[in-house]
Amino acid sequence: QVQLVESGGGLVQPGGSLRLSCATSGITFSIYAMGWYRQAPGKQRELVARITSGGSTMYADSVKGRFTISRDNAKNTVYLQMNNLRPEDTAVYYCNAAYGVGMLWGQGTQVTVSS
């Protein structure tokens, strides 16, 4: 059974940090490109960060220098370290696994940045 399970979301004050995790099962994790997307209320889902099977990374301009994506192939897990969080980072964050034309999604985890 294929599963992508996000964790680590929550409420944090502006300037704070959170680390999201996405634990996967049922897939050959190492061959997948992994990504984090987010969707704020009333907005489209957008790509936040992506890491290829080879470890190359890319980031949305809005999070460059603040967020870091990483993967641990031994644990079949991808992470998103989020620092210096801003209110506009508030959204549901989704884990994504992509290989060829196939895409898999997690259920999402809420991140709220508010004082």
Side-chain angles (χ1 to χ4, degrees), residues 19 24 29 40 55 59 72 76 113:
R19 188 194 195 203
T24 72
F29 179 80
Y59 298 91
D72 185 336
N76 297 333
V113 185

Side-chain angles (χ1 to χ4, degrees), residues 29-50:
F29 179 80
S30 61
I31 69 173
Y32 278 76
M34 300 299 298
W36 287 96
Y37 288 70
R38 67 186 181 189
Q39 188 167 18
K43 294 188 176 181
Q44 289 189 332
R45 190 173 297 189
E46 63 175 357
L47 177 63
V48 175
R50 188 173 183 266

Side-chain angles (χ1 to χ4, degrees), residues 93-110:
Y93 283 70
Y94 297 91
C95 175
N96 169 271
Y99 181 72
V101 298
M103 295 184 79
L104 304 169
W105 294 93
Q107 81 289 349
T109 185
Q110 176 70 47

Side-chain angles (χ1 to χ4, degrees), residues 4 6-7 15 17 40 42 47-48 52-53 58 63 66 71-73 80 85 93 99 107:
L4 282 68
E6 300 99 333
S7 61
S17 298
L47 177 63
V48 175
T52 68
S53 58
M58 64 81 65
V63 307
R66 301 188 298 123
R71 65 189 297 158
D72 185 336
N73 288 345
L80 185 68
L85 283 160
Y93 283 70
Y99 181 72
Q107 81 289 349

Side-chain angles (χ1 to χ4, degrees), residues 62-90:
S62 59
V63 307
K64 280 181 182 176
R66 301 188 298 123
F67 290 11
T68 303
I69 188 171
S70 62
R71 65 189 297 158
D72 185 336
N73 288 345
K75 295 183 178 180
N76 297 333
T77 300
V78 62
Y79 305 97
L80 185 68
Q81 178 67 44
M82 306 187 293
N83 298 328
N84 192 20
L85 283 160
R86 305 167 179 169
E88 53 264 38
D89 295 319
T90 295

